[in-house]
Amino acid sequence: MSKPVVAIVGRPNVGKSTIFNRVVGERVSIVEDIPGVTRDRIYSSADWLTHEFNIIDTGGIDLRDEPFLEQIRQQAEIAMDEADVIIFLVNGRDGVTTQDEQVAKILYRTKKPVILAVNKIDNPDMRHLIYDFYTLGMGEPFPLSGSHGLGLGDLLDEVAKNFPTEDDEEYPDDVIKFSLIGRPNVGKSSLVNSFLGEERVIVSEVAGTTRDAIDTQYEYNDQPYVIIDTAGMRKKGKVYETTEKYSVLRALRAIERSDVVLVVLNAEEGIQEQDKKIAGYAHEAGKAVIIIVNKWDAVEKDEKTMNVMTRKIREHFLFLDYAPIMFVSAISGKRVHNILEIVNKVNDNHSRRIQSSILNEVIEDAVAMNPAPSDKGRRLRVYYATQVAIKPPTFVVFVNEPEMMHFSYERFLQNRIRESFDFEGTPLRLITRART
Ligand code: GDP
Ligand code: GDP
């Protein structure tokens, strides 16, 4: 199940980014490092008690050329399109303003839960200020102080209560969900059309789900798939869809909902910084990844060209050393039909379970061959390992003292696991725990 998404909306200066930062805490955001998105982060993972979710500060999506009211309107639309739960933020010290009413009017249209939070209630004496806001017709207002961190727990409790449940699961388990991500014009839509144009592809006419009306469901060789749409791929309708931040946000959301992510590069243009950042997010999110070099037809090549390009990709995407690389052409259709085969394969690997006894043979052999180095007379002892999760495959390694596990030794064990089993295309996670 993909993580629920929470969006904060409200007119400027009510404290959206303050609340966002409070909720997100010290977490490092990938978005923050993406060029053009550096000024402020607008999308991040977060958690509250046992709930993990993603949160969007719609105020950070810059629509500077638009008139003021239009900006607020667009931001509310983004929240309604992208979020599962919306926090409607107002400023308790200003009372209800015309702009608050305008935001409310837009939000009335959504079926999604909207929670009204009244910010800048910095002490209990100010609590009475919330009563004015009942008139917005959004139910009970939650008092909040972003700068003092007050009221956040109650608000997040209420938010979490409104998260979709397992019953709202979008697709059956056997469906492979994948997305194509990459900069504009690398050929994402052409590739999708190329898949769907294949003879044996049966595109389902089923209308979209509640979450996203633009997913494409289809079947090939009896295997059901869903292509999760990204901003670059759908018909442009709304103004905000052309903004860079929104397209990054949209890509991150698509990744989050996917089992397999196809990182599409344009062979003519080579690799750019943003390709790496977004691919890095797919890796961090623990998704299976395939690197697709499209427009291979347009490149002048000899027998070395593919190797040179492969080496370049490996250098730039060090963290994706497990991802298969495919050279295709959406235009000529060359090797496009192989993509689904590889999608199936990495999806299998992403959900592969290794029996504990076999896993431990591998770990024992690895440790015997290359014992952990000792440190000041103490030595890391590896007792046993077990796989605790799939998607991505996650292993817990029990040791005497976890703090003695070095990155390089962890890497060594991970490589041994990779050499022994087929985990091509999927990241692996290794967690070190003290044996109790
Ligand atoms: P945004 O435009 O909605 O994202 O608002 P900001 O988060 O940038 O906050 C606008 C201003 O309100 C900043 O000067 C904040 O320091 C201030 N602010 C935010 N939350 C609170 C609060 O709970 N109490 C008070 N007194 N000021 C706050
Ligand atoms: P998107 O923005 O990533 O969805 O890219 P599009 O699918 O819209 O493609 C952008 C442009 O690249 C269009 O003009 C396509 O015709 C062209 N294009 C897409 N795939 C290929 C390819 O394999 N070879 C060549 N030569 N051009 C391609």
Side-chain angles (χ1 to χ4, degrees):
M1 172 141 198
S2 61
K3 283 192 229 168
V5 178
V6 178
I8 310 178
V9 290
R11 63 190 173 85
N13 282 316
V14 294
K16 292 183 297 300
S17 60
T18 306
I19 300 296
F20 176 87
N21 288 325
R22 278 266 174 207
V23 173
V24 165
E26 292 306 305
R27 190 178 300 266
V28 180
S29 166
I30 270 268
V31 184
E32 206 168 23
D33 299 331
I34 296 177
V37 192
T38 42
R39 213 168 37 100
D40 38 11
R41 64 175 144 172
I42 58 158
Y43 186 77
S44 176
S45 56
D47 47 53
W48 170 242
L49 303 177
T50 60
H51 301 280
E52 286 184 41
F53 55 95
N54 289 308
I55 184 160
I56 308 172
D57 171 11
T58 60
I61 296 173
D62 202 346
L63 300 156
R64 233 173 319 186
D65 295 343
E66 294 295 308
F68 182 72
L69 180 60
E70 183 57 20
Q71 289 203 26
I72 303 188
R73 199 178 70 75
Q74 299 269 350
Q75 286 164 1
E77 298 269 357
I78 291 170
M80 296 193 297
D81 280 352
E82 302 295 333
D84 297 301
V85 180
I86 299 165
I87 298 174
F88 174 18
L89 199 66
V90 295
N91 178 348
R93 300 185 179 210
D94 291 347
V96 176
T97 67
T98 322
Q99 287 163 5
D100 292 336
E101 284 167 350
Q102 280 158 342
V103 176
K105 223 159 99 192
I106 297 160
L107 293 178
Y108 288 151
R109 292 202 326 253
T110 185
K111 290 195 186 71
K112 298 189 174 166
V114 177
I115 296 159
L116 176 62
V118 183
N119 193 32
K120 310 201 186 183
I121 306 294
D122 295 339
N123 60 64
D125 294 343
M126 298 171 69
R127 224 192 121 91
H128 64 277
L129 293 175
I130 71 173
Y131 296 110
D132 197 20
F133 293 92
Y134 276 99
T135 59
L136 287 175
M138 289 287 176
E140 192 190 355
F142 283 75
L144 202 61
S145 170
S147 39
H148 295 66
L150 300 172
L152 212 55
D154 288 342
L155 175 69
L156 292 178
D157 279 344
E158 185 63 21
V159 166
K161 260 190 237 164
N162 285 281
F163 284 157
T165 62
E166 295 286 339
D167 299 343
D168 304 327
E169 187 59 83
E170 294 173 285
Y171 302 108
D173 273 351
D174 61 331
V175 174
I176 301 179
K177 292 172 283 181
F178 70 96
S179 55
L180 295 90
I181 61 161
R183 286 172 299 108
N185 287 318
V186 293
K188 297 180 295 297
S189 337
S190 308
L191 282 168
V192 169
N193 290 334
S194 186
F195 292 141
L196 300 183
E198 291 259 336
E199 239 169 81
R200 277 171 299 163
V201 167
I202 305 154
V203 179
S204 134
E205 294 299 325
V206 179
T209 60
T210 47
R211 280 271 277 259
D212 253 280
I214 50 260
D215 294 348
T216 308
Q217 303 185 47
Y218 70 101
E219 238 179 76
Y220 183 69
N221 285 343
D222 293 330
Q223 169 63 51
Y225 299 90
V226 171
I227 304 180
I228 310 277
D229 174 74
T230 50
M233 281 165 47
R234 66 165 140 173
K235 276 189 284 163
K236 305 266 189 304
K238 296 164 178 166
V239 173
Y240 61 75
E241 286 177 353
T242 58
T243 65
E244 187 178 352
K245 270 194 188 177
Y246 180 76
S247 74
V248 171
L249 170 85
R250 187 85 206 170
L252 299 188
R253 289 264 293 115
I255 291 169
E256 203 75 61
R257 296 180 55 226
S258 301
D259 300 311
V260 180
V261 175
L262 314 190
V263 174
V264 185
L265 305 175
N266 178 343
E268 290 180 304
E269 290 176 354
I271 302 154
Q272 303 202 358
E273 209 48 36
Q274 191 161 329
D275 298 325
K276 290 202 259 180
K277 293 282 163 59
I278 296 197
Y281 190 86
H283 170 76
E284 275 179 26
K287 305 303 180 174
V289 178
I290 302 171
I291 297 172
I292 308 273
V293 183
N294 188 36
K295 308 201 187 182
W296 197 237
D297 60 287
V299 176
E300 230 183 278
K301 42 193 171 293
D302 55 31
E303 67 285 358
K304 291 198 197 109
T305 316
M306 204 179 270
N307 283 338
V308 170
M309 185 71 184
T310 302
R311 213 171 320 126
K312 227 185 261 171
I313 290 172
R314 291 296 177 214
E315 269 165 32
H316 280 91
F317 295 88
L318 281 177
F319 52 91
L320 288 182
D321 55 0
Y322 51 82
I325 302 173
M326 303 185 69
F327 295 84
V328 308
S329 165
I331 291 291
S332 75
K334 199 153 190 196
R335 278 184 298 270
V336 170
H337 61 279
N338 294 345
I339 294 177
L340 287 184
E341 237 168 80
I342 306 290
V343 166
N344 293 351
K345 182 164 181 265
V346 301
N347 185 65
D348 284 347
N349 294 347
H350 195 226
S351 4
R352 185 176 302 291
R353 282 183 200 278
I354 306 296
Q355 234 182 319
S356 273
S357 54
I358 300 173
L359 176 67
N360 278 293
E361 275 172 32
V362 170
I363 297 289
E364 271 168 36
D365 284 355
V367 173
M369 188 174 90
N370 177 17
S374 58
D375 183 12
K376 296 187 194 103
R378 295 185 310 158
R379 187 185 291 279
L380 176 79
R381 294 179 58 97
V382 178
Y383 297 120
Y384 61 98
T386 185
Q387 183 174 356
V388 294
I390 56 169
K391 294 186 172 196
T394 304
F395 303 91
V396 172
V397 181
F398 291 92
V399 302
N400 55 340
E401 292 182 56
E403 57 282 6
M404 289 178 70
M405 174 69 94
H406 288 282
F407 173 76
S408 58
Y409 200 67
E410 195 176 295
R411 186 82 194 175
F412 161 71
L413 293 178
Q414 211 183 97
N415 287 341
R416 291 299 298 144
I417 295 175
R418 277 196 188 281
E419 286 160 23
S420 310
F421 310 102
D422 189 358
F423 284 122
E424 188 184 20
T426 174
L428 299 182
R429 292 203 172 135
L430 228 66
I431 301 165
T432 310
R433 285 277 149 74
R435 188 179 66 176
T436 47

